[in-house]
Amino acid sequence: MNAVELEAFDLEQDVDVNTNYMGQSKSAIQTYYDKIIEEEKVINQVNINIGRLSTLVDDAYNSVMDQNTSVSDSEYFVQAISDANVLTKGYHDVGIQSQTNIEAYRGYILDEYDLIEQYAIIIDQKKQEMDDLYTRYIIAT
């Protein structure tokens, strides 16, 4: 292998390596995107559960306020409202964590896009260097 062939081989290797890196970044983006979808499902379920608890609290409150509800039943409903409040806080915390995770995944996706742009620039540069090498080789021969 002469010097020109060796240089061309090195340039091709650089292109291949950066192409592989682009593929890895694309795969990472898909993974992060899939994680965002899963976190959005968690948030949707949290919202559904909080909505159900809200309905339960409304019904329990109305029962407590009803003149025909006994004191012991009222105590039960007040406890149900208290329990629902605790559950709601837990669901809220889960939803906040999911939103935090989504923001992190979005940041990772943007980072991967930046890397893809860098790899594309390197690939373009190496391809230009190959074209220049080819031109120099043709002129020299």
Side-chain angles (χ1 to χ4, degrees):
M1 187 178 290
N2 65 33
V4 173
E5 290 171 329
L6 182 59
E7 187 176 349
F9 177 79
D10 289 344
L11 291 170
E12 288 173 0
Q13 290 297 104
D14 288 343
V15 168
D16 289 345
V17 165
N18 283 283
T19 300
N20 288 335
Y21 288 158
M22 284 179 79
Q24 291 171 6
S25 286
K26 288 177 183 178
S27 178
I29 288 170
Q30 185 61 51
T31 298
Y32 294 135
Y33 177 76
D34 292 343
K35 289 182 179 203
I36 287 173
I37 297 299
E38 291 305 311
E39 293 293 349
E40 287 175 342
K41 288 178 183 176
V42 169
I43 290 171
N44 287 339
Q45 191 59 50
V46 162
N47 289 335
I48 288 168
N49 291 342
I50 289 175
R52 288 178 179 158
L53 288 171
S54 177
T55 300
L56 181 138
V57 167
D58 287 345
D59 292 347
Y61 177 80
N62 290 335
S63 294
V64 168
M65 299 309 288
D66 185 345
Q67 297 292 337
N68 296 323
T69 303
S70 68
V71 171
S72 63
D73 286 345
S74 290
E75 289 172 352
Y76 168 78
F77 289 124
V78 168
Q79 184 60 48
I81 290 169
S82 177
D83 292 345
N85 184 42
V86 170
L87 286 172
T88 300
K89 177 161 180 7
Y91 285 131
H92 178 264
D93 291 346
V94 168
I96 293 297
Q97 183 59 54
S98 287
Q99 186 61 43
T100 299
N101 293 345
I102 287 171
E103 293 306 316
Y105 296 141
R106 286 180 179 158
Y108 299 152
I109 287 171
L110 292 175
D111 290 344
E112 292 298 332
Y113 276 124
D114 288 344
L115 288 173
I116 287 172
E117 288 177 3
Q118 291 172 21
Y119 300 140
I121 289 168
I122 292 169
I123 290 169
D124 289 344
Q125 288 172 344
K126 297 302 175 182
K127 286 182 176 181
Q128 183 59 50
E129 288 176 34
M130 281 193 281
D131 289 345
D132 294 346
L133 177 66
Y134 177 74
T135 302
R136 285 193 325 264
Y137 179 75
I138 294 297
I139 292 172
T141 56

